[in-house]
Amino acid sequence: MNEITEKLENEQFLEKDEFKWLLENNTPELRADLSKRAQRVAGETFGKGVYVRGLIEFSNYCKNDCYYCGIRCGNEQAHRYRLSEQEILDCCAIGYDLGFRTFVLQGGEDPDFSDQMMVELIGKIRAGYNDCAITLSLGERPRAVYEAFFAAGANRYLLRHETATAEHYQKLHPRELLLENRTECLRNLKEIGFQVGTGFMVGSPHQTVENLVADLVFIKELNPQMIGIGPFIPHQHTPYKDAEAGTLEETLLLISILRLMLPKALIPATTALGTIDPNGRELGILAGANVVMPNLSPVSVRKDYSLYDNKICTGDEAAECRVCLSKRMEGIGYEILTHRGDYPQK
Ligand code: SAM
Ligand code: FES
């Protein structure tokens, strides 16, 4: 066991068979070994600091129909909302006062929030908060649109590849959504100059160990600045409502592996991880993650941004989430840092 984990730490990569072995022998001892190494490696760059991002979930309209996602267009029971530009700017103002220096604008692929509206919004946030990073998570767009977002002042883009195996991708998405397009978007974003985040759901329906190994290889090749992984959690109004959720243990193992593969990456302990276990986010940090993303969206719409069932933090004001996360991080000997938290250059 130690030979493989030591090799992973030293060489930051493994043969496919070795990754497979780690995934198939996920014992508490293995996780303890990996998380010790992952904490050490993260500590070399980030110390005991955890970056914080203010998440603004501004629209739950989506033209896509991903089979796993609660805001898919086919979910007729979803209560749809779209924040106005002013409401989004108000979230930024509240977030800035609470010390956030990164705003993450996330939404479904909402055609009525046009690219032009987005460009104007980005421009206003950039003008009002010049010391802040603007992160977008808006799905697949043509290259020219990404270029316009970048020119308007956005800095980072989160677009999980979801799975690097085409057949698996087609089990999770309708025919018109293609892995090729998603990876093309990621390449475009990188070339344009965005700090790019990718990732996948752990334990998504039909996922195999081979699929996960392919995800690790894909991520190593893409070399993104950010990696978001969290457990798949079923949503009651989706075709995968009866599928099994991903596990805490597998997610923690993969966070540690990814930290050792990409020592300087920004890796969040996600809300989904906090949803499957009350201490999920703390355990995520102890497994090697170094980012948390509390919610800045107005409480009135929180429960409607429902990607999966039983999502946590839907009733808390932004300030409460911020204080809660600070306490949680202090409880495990870490500290929230309030600067922009860009990808380290050195
Ligand atoms: N529309 C944008 C996109 O496609 O990237 C951003 C929003 S999308 C809902 C954000 C992420 O939520 C997806 O990349 C997916 O991995 C995750 N997600 C969706 N449904 C989920 C579920 N049931 N369980 C866990 N994560 C889920
Ligand atoms: Fe909206 Fe998948 S359902 S992007």
mmCIF file of all heavy atoms in Angstrom, residues 242-290:
data_model
loop_
_atom_site.group_PDB
_atom_site.id
_atom_site.type_symbol
_atom_site.label_atom_id
_atom_site.label_comp_id
_atom_site.label_asym_id
_atom_site.label_seq_id
_atom_site.Cartn_x
_atom_site.Cartn_y
_atom_site.Cartn_z
ATOM 1 N N ASP A 242 -34.002 6.847 -8.163
ATOM 2 C CA ASP A 242 -33.779 5.664 -7.312
ATOM 3 C C ASP A 242 -32.339 5.170 -7.333
ATOM 4 O O ASP A 242 -32.034 4.119 -6.762
ATOM 5 C CB ASP A 242 -34.713 4.526 -7.759
ATOM 6 C CG ASP A 242 -36.175 4.904 -7.549
ATOM 7 O OD1 ASP A 242 -36.462 5.573 -6.527
ATOM 8 O OD2 ASP A 242 -37.006 4.576 -8.411
ATOM 9 N N ALA A 243 -31.461 5.912 -8.008
ATOM 10 C CA ALA A 243 -30.056 5.467 -8.059
ATOM 11 C C ALA A 243 -29.404 5.689 -6.693
ATOM 12 O O ALA A 243 -29.836 6.541 -5.919
ATOM 13 C CB ALA A 243 -29.318 6.242 -9.142
ATOM 14 N N GLU A 244 -28.374 4.899 -6.430
ATOM 15 C CA GLU A 244 -27.633 5.031 -5.161
ATOM 16 C C GLU A 244 -26.811 6.323 -5.169
ATOM 17 O O GLU A 244 -26.246 6.682 -6.207
ATOM 18 C CB GLU A 244 -26.623 3.895 -5.047
ATOM 19 C CG GLU A 244 -27.224 2.534 -4.960
ATOM 20 C CD GLU A 244 -27.103 1.993 -3.549
ATOM 21 O OE1 GLU A 244 -26.073 2.255 -2.901
ATOM 22 O OE2 GLU A 244 -28.050 1.317 -3.125
ATOM 23 N N ALA A 245 -26.711 6.957 -4.015
ATOM 24 C CA ALA A 245 -25.843 8.139 -3.905
ATOM 25 C C ALA A 245 -24.379 7.700 -3.866
ATOM 26 O O ALA A 245 -24.065 6.561 -3.492
ATOM 27 C CB ALA A 245 -26.181 8.910 -2.634
ATOM 28 N N GLY A 246 -23.480 8.608 -4.259
ATOM 29 C CA GLY A 246 -22.051 8.362 -4.076
ATOM 30 C C GLY A 246 -21.720 8.376 -2.588
ATOM 31 O O GLY A 246 -22.495 8.895 -1.779
ATOM 32 N N THR A 247 -20.577 7.825 -2.236
ATOM 33 C CA THR A 247 -20.264 7.720 -0.801
ATOM 34 C C THR A 247 -19.245 8.767 -0.352
ATOM 35 O O THR A 247 -18.437 9.258 -1.151
ATOM 36 C CB THR A 247 -19.701 6.323 -0.441
ATOM 37 O OG1 THR A 247 -18.436 6.174 -1.099
ATOM 38 C CG2 THR A 247 -20.650 5.216 -0.860
ATOM 39 N N LEU A 248 -19.322 9.042 0.945
ATOM 40 C CA LEU A 248 -18.342 9.915 1.589
ATOM 41 C C LEU A 248 -16.931 9.341 1.401
ATOM 42 O O LEU A 248 -15.997 10.052 1.037
ATOM 43 C CB LEU A 248 -18.678 9.993 3.086
ATOM 44 C CG LEU A 248 -17.696 10.736 3.968
ATOM 45 C CD1 LEU A 248 -17.817 12.240 3.740
ATOM 46 C CD2 LEU A 248 -17.933 10.424 5.453
ATOM 47 N N GLU A 249 -16.805 8.034 1.631
ATOM 48 C CA GLU A 249 -15.481 7.404 1.635
ATOM 49 C C GLU A 249 -14.805 7.494 0.264
ATOM 50 O O GLU A 249 -13.613 7.776 0.149
ATOM 51 C CB GLU A 249 -15.581 5.934 2.066
ATOM 52 C CG GLU A 249 -15.970 5.730 3.525
ATOM 53 C CD GLU A 249 -17.457 6.006 3.817
ATOM 54 O OE1 GLU A 249 -18.258 6.074 2.857
ATOM 55 O OE2 GLU A 249 -17.798 6.164 5.005
ATOM 56 N N GLU A 250 -15.603 7.251 -0.788
ATOM 57 C CA GLU A 250 -14.994 7.292 -2.121
ATOM 58 C C GLU A 250 -14.639 8.729 -2.500
ATOM 59 O O GLU A 250 -13.608 8.996 -3.114
ATOM 60 C CB GLU A 250 -15.925 6.661 -3.164
ATOM 61 C CG GLU A 250 -15.191 6.410 -4.471
ATOM 62 C CD GLU A 250 -15.876 5.420 -5.397
ATOM 63 O OE1 GLU A 250 -17.106 5.456 -5.497
ATOM 64 O OE2 GLU A 250 -15.159 4.625 -6.032
ATOM 65 N N THR A 251 -15.493 9.679 -2.100
ATOM 66 C CA THR A 251 -15.207 11.086 -2.418
ATOM 67 C C THR A 251 -13.921 11.530 -1.701
ATOM 68 O O THR A 251 -13.061 12.188 -2.302
ATOM 69 C CB THR A 251 -16.393 11.986 -2.012
ATOM 70 O OG1 THR A 251 -17.594 11.430 -2.544
ATOM 71 C CG2 THR A 251 -16.217 13.400 -2.539
ATOM 72 N N LEU A 252 -13.787 11.158 -0.432
ATOM 73 C CA LEU A 252 -12.588 11.569 0.317
ATOM 74 C C LEU A 252 -11.329 10.949 -0.289
ATOM 75 O O LEU A 252 -10.298 11.622 -0.431
ATOM 76 C CB LEU A 252 -12.722 11.158 1.792
ATOM 77 C CG LEU A 252 -13.851 11.859 2.566
ATOM 78 C CD1 LEU A 252 -13.949 11.290 3.990
ATOM 79 C CD2 LEU A 252 -13.655 13.378 2.611
ATOM 80 N N LEU A 253 -11.424 9.680 -0.665
ATOM 81 C CA LEU A 253 -10.262 9.019 -1.285
ATOM 82 C C LEU A 253 -9.851 9.779 -2.549
ATOM 83 O O LEU A 253 -8.667 10.068 -2.769
ATOM 84 C CB LEU A 253 -10.617 7.568 -1.642
ATOM 85 C CG LEU A 253 -9.476 6.779 -2.269
ATOM 86 C CD1 LEU A 253 -8.615 6.152 -1.175
ATOM 87 C CD2 LEU A 253 -9.981 5.678 -3.195
ATOM 88 N N LEU A 254 -10.849 10.139 -3.366
ATOM 89 C CA LEU A 254 -10.543 10.810 -4.638
ATOM 90 C C LEU A 254 -10.017 12.221 -4.418
ATOM 91 O O LEU A 254 -9.144 12.690 -5.161
ATOM 92 C CB LEU A 254 -11.791 10.807 -5.535
ATOM 93 C CG LEU A 254 -11.995 9.452 -6.231
ATOM 94 C CD1 LEU A 254 -13.446 9.251 -6.639
ATOM 95 C CD2 LEU A 254 -11.068 9.327 -7.452
ATOM 96 N N ILE A 255 -10.509 12.919 -3.396
ATOM 97 C CA ILE A 255 -9.959 14.257 -3.102
ATOM 98 C C ILE A 255 -8.464 14.126 -2.786
ATOM 99 O O ILE A 255 -7.630 14.882 -3.301
ATOM 100 C CB ILE A 255 -10.718 14.932 -1.933
ATOM 101 C CG1 ILE A 255 -12.124 15.347 -2.367
ATOM 102 C CG2 ILE A 255 -9.947 16.160 -1.415
ATOM 103 C CD1 ILE A 255 -12.992 15.915 -1.248
ATOM 104 N N SER A 256 -8.115 13.138 -1.966
ATOM 105 C CA SER A 256 -6.697 12.970 -1.607
ATOM 106 C C SER A 256 -5.858 12.620 -2.838
ATOM 107 O O SER A 256 -4.757 13.157 -3.020
ATOM 108 C CB SER A 256 -6.537 11.870 -0.551
ATOM 109 O OG SER A 256 -7.165 12.242 0.652
ATOM 110 N N ILE A 257 -6.374 11.722 -3.664
ATOM 111 C CA ILE A 257 -5.628 11.341 -4.877
ATOM 112 C C ILE A 257 -5.415 12.581 -5.755
ATOM 113 O O ILE A 257 -4.308 12.835 -6.252
ATOM 114 C CB ILE A 257 -6.378 10.229 -5.657
ATOM 115 C CG1 ILE A 257 -6.376 8.922 -4.852
ATOM 116 C CG2 ILE A 257 -5.779 10.030 -7.042
ATOM 117 C CD1 ILE A 257 -7.186 7.788 -5.476
ATOM 118 N N LEU A 258 -6.480 13.368 -5.938
ATOM 119 C CA LEU A 258 -6.364 14.550 -6.808
ATOM 120 C C LEU A 258 -5.398 15.575 -6.222
ATOM 121 O O LEU A 258 -4.637 16.211 -6.947
ATOM 122 C CB LEU A 258 -7.758 15.169 -7.034
ATOM 123 C CG LEU A 258 -8.641 14.342 -7.984
ATOM 124 C CD1 LEU A 258 -10.112 14.731 -7.839
ATOM 125 C CD2 LEU A 258 -8.192 14.517 -9.438
ATOM 126 N N ARG A 259 -5.420 15.751 -4.915
ATOM 127 C CA ARG A 259 -4.462 16.682 -4.284
ATOM 128 C C ARG A 259 -3.023 16.240 -4.566
ATOM 129 O O ARG A 259 -2.157 17.055 -4.872
ATOM 130 C CB ARG A 259 -4.733 16.761 -2.767
ATOM 131 C CG ARG A 259 -3.632 17.394 -1.948
ATOM 132 C CD ARG A 259 -3.331 18.833 -2.364
ATOM 133 N NE ARG A 259 -4.479 19.693 -2.150
ATOM 134 C CZ ARG A 259 -4.781 20.744 -2.948
ATOM 135 N NH1 ARG A 259 -4.006 21.077 -3.965
ATOM 136 N NH2 ARG A 259 -5.853 21.470 -2.712
ATOM 137 N N LEU A 260 -2.784 14.924 -4.462
ATOM 138 C CA LEU A 260 -1.414 14.444 -4.688
ATOM 139 C C LEU A 260 -1.042 14.547 -6.170
ATOM 140 O O LEU A 260 0.115 14.768 -6.509
ATOM 141 C CB LEU A 260 -1.268 13.007 -4.173
ATOM 142 C CG LEU A 260 -1.411 12.897 -2.639
ATOM 143 C CD1 LEU A 260 -1.446 11.437 -2.195
ATOM 144 C CD2 LEU A 260 -0.269 13.636 -1.928
ATOM 145 N N MET A 261 -2.018 14.423 -7.059
ATOM 146 C CA MET A 261 -1.743 14.544 -8.501
ATOM 147 C C MET A 261 -1.488 15.990 -8.922
ATOM 148 O O MET A 261 -0.690 16.262 -9.798
ATOM 149 C CB MET A 261 -2.955 14.034 -9.309
ATOM 150 C CG MET A 261 -3.066 12.536 -9.398
ATOM 151 S SD MET A 261 -4.672 12.065 -10.091
ATOM 152 C CE MET A 261 -4.710 12.975 -11.629
ATOM 153 N N LEU A 262 -2.244 16.917 -8.312
ATOM 154 C CA LEU A 262 -2.121 18.345 -8.682
ATOM 155 C C LEU A 262 -1.963 19.160 -7.395
ATOM 156 O O LEU A 262 -2.932 19.725 -6.859
ATOM 157 C CB LEU A 262 -3.367 18.817 -9.467
ATOM 158 C CG LEU A 262 -3.486 18.266 -10.896
ATOM 159 C CD1 LEU A 262 -4.320 17.002 -10.922
ATOM 160 C CD2 LEU A 262 -4.079 19.287 -11.826
ATOM 161 N N PRO A 263 -0.715 19.208 -6.874
ATOM 162 C CA PRO A 263 -0.495 19.777 -5.539
ATOM 163 C C PRO A 263 -0.999 21.200 -5.350
ATOM 164 O O PRO A 263 -1.365 21.574 -4.250
ATOM 165 C CB PRO A 263 1.026 19.716 -5.383
ATOM 166 C CG PRO A 263 1.456 18.619 -6.286
ATOM 167 C CD PRO A 263 0.504 18.633 -7.448
ATOM 168 N N LYS A 264 -1.011 22.000 -6.413
ATOM 169 C CA LYS A 264 -1.393 23.411 -6.226
ATOM 170 C C LYS A 264 -2.831 23.715 -6.614
ATOM 171 O O LYS A 264 -3.267 24.873 -6.593
ATOM 172 C CB LYS A 264 -0.453 24.304 -7.033
ATOM 173 C CG LYS A 264 0.973 24.243 -6.508
ATOM 174 C CD LYS A 264 1.838 25.217 -7.248
ATOM 175 C CE LYS A 264 3.304 25.025 -7.000
ATOM 176 N NZ LYS A 264 3.811 25.108 -5.711
ATOM 177 N N ALA A 265 -3.577 22.698 -6.981
ATOM 178 C CA ALA A 265 -4.947 22.940 -7.461
ATOM 179 C C ALA A 265 -5.833 23.471 -6.343
ATOM 180 O O ALA A 265 -5.599 23.226 -5.157
ATOM 181 C CB ALA A 265 -5.532 21.650 -8.020
ATOM 182 N N LEU A 266 -6.856 24.216 -6.768
ATOM 183 C CA LEU A 266 -7.866 24.706 -5.830
ATOM 184 C C LEU A 266 -8.997 23.691 -5.847
ATOM 185 O O LEU A 266 -9.631 23.468 -6.888
ATOM 186 C CB LEU A 266 -8.329 26.091 -6.279
ATOM 187 C CG LEU A 266 -7.146 27.086 -6.309
ATOM 188 C CD1 LEU A 266 -7.433 28.268 -7.207
ATOM 189 C CD2 LEU A 266 -6.803 27.536 -4.899
ATOM 190 N N ILE A 267 -9.199 23.040 -4.706
ATOM 191 C CA ILE A 267 -10.151 21.917 -4.648
ATOM 192 C C ILE A 267 -11.176 22.203 -3.550
ATOM 193 O O ILE A 267 -10.813 22.282 -2.364
ATOM 194 C CB ILE A 267 -9.409 20.589 -4.325
ATOM 195 C CG1 ILE A 267 -8.324 20.311 -5.371
ATOM 196 C CG2 ILE A 267 -10.397 19.419 -4.230
ATOM 197 C CD1 ILE A 267 -7.524 19.028 -5.126
ATOM 198 N N PRO A 268 -12.447 22.401 -3.899
ATOM 199 C CA PRO A 268 -13.424 22.689 -2.850
ATOM 200 C C PRO A 268 -13.897 21.447 -2.104
ATOM 201 O O PRO A 268 -13.966 20.352 -2.671
ATOM 202 C CB PRO A 268 -14.598 23.310 -3.620
ATOM 203 C CG PRO A 268 -14.494 22.756 -4.989
ATOM 204 C CD PRO A 268 -13.024 22.483 -5.243
ATOM 205 N N ALA A 269 -14.215 21.660 -0.827
ATOM 206 C CA ALA A 269 -15.001 20.679 -0.070
ATOM 207 C C ALA A 269 -16.443 21.107 -0.335
ATOM 208 O O ALA A 269 -16.891 22.143 0.148
ATOM 209 C CB ALA A 269 -14.653 20.773 1.408
ATOM 210 N N THR A 270 -17.145 20.353 -1.175
ATOM 211 C CA THR A 270 -18.393 20.841 -1.776
ATOM 212 C C THR A 270 -19.597 20.727 -0.843
ATOM 213 O O THR A 270 -19.593 19.969 0.134
ATOM 214 C CB THR A 270 -18.703 20.044 -3.062
ATOM 215 O OG1 THR A 270 -18.753 18.648 -2.734
ATOM 216 C CG2 THR A 270 -17.655 20.265 -4.124
ATOM 217 N N THR A 271 -20.642 21.460 -1.237
ATOM 218 C CA THR A 271 -21.905 21.393 -0.499
ATOM 219 C C THR A 271 -22.480 19.974 -0.561
ATOM 220 O O THR A 271 -23.060 19.490 0.418
ATOM 221 C CB THR A 271 -22.912 22.390 -1.113
ATOM 222 O OG1 THR A 271 -22.293 23.679 -1.118
ATOM 223 C CG2 THR A 271 -24.194 22.467 -0.322
ATOM 224 N N ALA A 272 -22.298 19.297 -1.688
ATOM 225 C CA ALA A 272 -22.809 17.915 -1.804
ATOM 226 C C ALA A 272 -22.127 17.017 -0.766
ATOM 227 O O ALA A 272 -22.769 16.145 -0.161
ATOM 228 C CB ALA A 272 -22.598 17.378 -3.209
ATOM 229 N N LEU A 273 -20.845 17.259 -0.525
ATOM 230 C CA LEU A 273 -20.127 16.464 0.481
ATOM 231 C C LEU A 273 -20.678 16.765 1.881
ATOM 232 O O LEU A 273 -20.846 15.862 2.708
ATOM 233 C CB LEU A 273 -18.629 16.799 0.391
ATOM 234 C CG LEU A 273 -17.647 15.913 1.135
ATOM 235 C CD1 LEU A 273 -17.786 14.450 0.744
ATOM 236 C CD2 LEU A 273 -16.214 16.376 0.872
ATOM 237 N N GLY A 274 -21.010 18.043 2.104
ATOM 238 C CA GLY A 274 -21.615 18.425 3.383
ATOM 239 C C GLY A 274 -23.035 17.899 3.512
ATOM 240 O O GLY A 274 -23.569 17.817 4.621
ATOM 241 N N THR A 275 -23.652 17.568 2.392
ATOM 242 C CA THR A 275 -25.026 17.068 2.429
ATOM 243 C C THR A 275 -25.071 15.583 2.780
ATOM 244 O O THR A 275 -25.970 15.146 3.497
ATOM 245 C CB THR A 275 -25.719 17.327 1.060
ATOM 246 O OG1 THR A 275 -25.766 18.736 0.830
ATOM 247 C CG2 THR A 275 -27.126 16.752 1.024
ATOM 248 N N ILE A 276 -24.088 14.807 2.280
ATOM 249 C CA ILE A 276 -24.156 13.369 2.611
ATOM 250 C C ILE A 276 -23.592 13.057 3.998
ATOM 251 O O ILE A 276 -23.823 11.977 4.520
ATOM 252 C CB ILE A 276 -23.481 12.436 1.568
ATOM 253 C CG1 ILE A 276 -22.046 12.835 1.292
ATOM 254 C CG2 ILE A 276 -24.300 12.317 0.303
ATOM 255 C CD1 ILE A 276 -21.284 11.683 0.652
ATOM 256 N N ASP A 277 -22.861 13.997 4.565
ATOM 257 C CA ASP A 277 -22.360 13.776 5.931
ATOM 258 C C ASP A 277 -22.278 15.123 6.642
ATOM 259 O O ASP A 277 -21.758 16.085 6.068
ATOM 260 C CB ASP A 277 -20.966 13.134 5.877
ATOM 261 C CG ASP A 277 -20.488 12.725 7.262
ATOM 262 O OD1 ASP A 277 -20.082 13.613 8.057
ATOM 263 O OD2 ASP A 277 -20.519 11.515 7.557
ATOM 264 N N PRO A 278 -22.757 15.200 7.883
ATOM 265 C CA PRO A 278 -22.749 16.495 8.581
ATOM 266 C C PRO A 278 -21.348 17.096 8.703
ATOM 267 O O PRO A 278 -21.193 18.314 8.791
ATOM 268 C CB PRO A 278 -23.313 16.175 9.972
ATOM 269 C CG PRO A 278 -23.788 14.766 9.936
ATOM 270 C CD PRO A 278 -23.362 14.119 8.660
ATOM 271 N N ASN A 279 -20.313 16.241 8.713
ATOM 272 C CA ASN A 279 -18.940 16.760 8.788
ATOM 273 C C ASN A 279 -18.216 16.644 7.454
ATOM 274 O O ASN A 279 -16.979 16.672 7.406
ATOM 275 C CB ASN A 279 -18.145 16.004 9.851
ATOM 276 C CG ASN A 279 -18.651 16.331 11.235
ATOM 277 O OD1 ASN A 279 -18.973 17.483 11.524
ATOM 278 N ND2 ASN A 279 -18.771 15.321 12.076
ATOM 279 N N GLY A 280 -18.984 16.500 6.388
ATOM 280 C CA GLY A 280 -18.380 16.246 5.075
ATOM 281 C C GLY A 280 -17.372 17.313 4.654
ATOM 282 O O GLY A 280 -16.314 16.998 4.120
ATOM 283 N N ARG A 281 -17.713 18.580 4.898
ATOM 284 C CA ARG A 281 -16.792 19.623 4.420
ATOM 285 C C ARG A 281 -15.497 19.640 5.232
ATOM 286 O O ARG A 281 -14.414 19.795 4.674
ATOM 287 C CB ARG A 281 -17.493 20.979 4.429
ATOM 288 C CG ARG A 281 -18.504 21.058 3.286
ATOM 289 C CD ARG A 281 -19.411 22.240 3.396
ATOM 290 N NE ARG A 281 -20.216 22.185 4.612
ATOM 291 C CZ ARG A 281 -21.045 23.136 5.000
ATOM 292 N NH1 ARG A 281 -21.180 24.229 4.279
ATOM 293 N NH2 ARG A 281 -21.748 23.009 6.112
ATOM 294 N N GLU A 282 -15.616 19.426 6.547
ATOM 295 C CA GLU A 282 -14.389 19.347 7.359
ATOM 296 C C GLU A 282 -13.537 18.158 6.894
ATOM 297 O O GLU A 282 -12.316 18.270 6.733
ATOM 298 C CB GLU A 282 -14.722 19.143 8.847
ATOM 299 C CG GLU A 282 -15.348 20.346 9.520
ATOM 300 C CD GLU A 282 -16.864 20.349 9.456
ATOM 301 O OE1 GLU A 282 -17.432 19.904 8.443
ATOM 302 O OE2 GLU A 282 -17.493 20.805 10.426
ATOM 303 N N LEU A 283 -14.196 17.025 6.680
ATOM 304 C CA LEU A 283 -13.442 15.835 6.260
ATOM 305 C C LEU A 283 -12.821 16.053 4.879
ATOM 306 O O LEU A 283 -11.723 15.562 4.601
ATOM 307 C CB LEU A 283 -14.368 14.604 6.257
ATOM 308 C CG LEU A 283 -14.847 14.180 7.659
ATOM 309 C CD1 LEU A 283 -15.961 13.129 7.562
ATOM 310 C CD2 LEU A 283 -13.672 13.652 8.483
ATOM 311 N N GLY A 284 -13.521 16.809 4.027
ATOM 312 C CA GLY A 284 -12.976 17.130 2.703
ATOM 313 C C GLY A 284 -11.685 17.934 2.824
ATOM 314 O O GLY A 284 -10.700 17.668 2.128
ATOM 315 N N ILE A 285 -11.678 18.917 3.719
ATOM 316 C CA ILE A 285 -10.456 19.717 3.922
ATOM 317 C C ILE A 285 -9.337 18.815 4.458
ATOM 318 O O ILE A 285 -8.196 18.869 3.990
ATOM 319 C CB ILE A 285 -10.710 20.892 4.910
ATOM 320 C CG1 ILE A 285 -11.783 21.851 4.361
ATOM 321 C CG2 ILE A 285 -9.402 21.635 5.246
ATOM 322 C CD1 ILE A 285 -11.434 22.603 3.103
ATOM 323 N N LEU A 286 -9.680 17.948 5.392
ATOM 324 C CA LEU A 286 -8.656 17.060 5.972
ATOM 325 C C LEU A 286 -8.172 16.026 4.954
ATOM 326 O O LEU A 286 -7.104 15.440 5.116
ATOM 327 C CB LEU A 286 -9.200 16.370 7.234
ATOM 328 C CG LEU A 286 -9.500 17.340 8.389
ATOM 329 C CD1 LEU A 286 -10.206 16.613 9.536
ATOM 330 C CD2 LEU A 286 -8.211 18.004 8.895
ATOM 331 N N ALA A 287 -8.945 15.813 3.903
ATOM 332 C CA ALA A 287 -8.517 14.892 2.833
ATOM 333 C C ALA A 287 -7.686 15.614 1.779
ATOM 334 O O ALA A 287 -7.184 14.978 0.852
ATOM 335 C CB ALA A 287 -9.741 14.240 2.181
ATOM 336 N N GLY A 288 -7.551 16.954 1.897
ATOM 337 C CA GLY A 288 -6.688 17.664 0.951
ATOM 338 C C GLY A 288 -7.355 18.797 0.201
ATOM 339 O O GLY A 288 -6.712 19.479 -0.603
ATOM 340 N N ALA A 289 -8.650 19.027 0.411
ATOM 341 C CA ALA A 289 -9.311 20.167 -0.249
ATOM 342 C C ALA A 289 -8.853 21.465 0.425
ATOM 343 O O ALA A 289 -8.317 21.440 1.543
ATOM 344 C CB ALA A 289 -10.830 20.021 -0.162
ATOM 345 N N ASN A 290 -9.063 22.606 -0.269
ATOM 346 C CA ASN A 290 -8.601 23.870 0.318
ATOM 347 C C ASN A 290 -9.503 25.055 -0.030
ATOM 348 O O ASN A 290 -9.055 26.203 -0.004
ATOM 349 C CB ASN A 290 -7.163 24.169 -0.128
ATOM 350 C CG ASN A 290 -7.062 24.404 -1.624
ATOM 351 O OD1 ASN A 290 -7.851 23.873 -2.401
ATOM 352 N ND2 ASN A 290 -6.115 25.211 -2.033
#
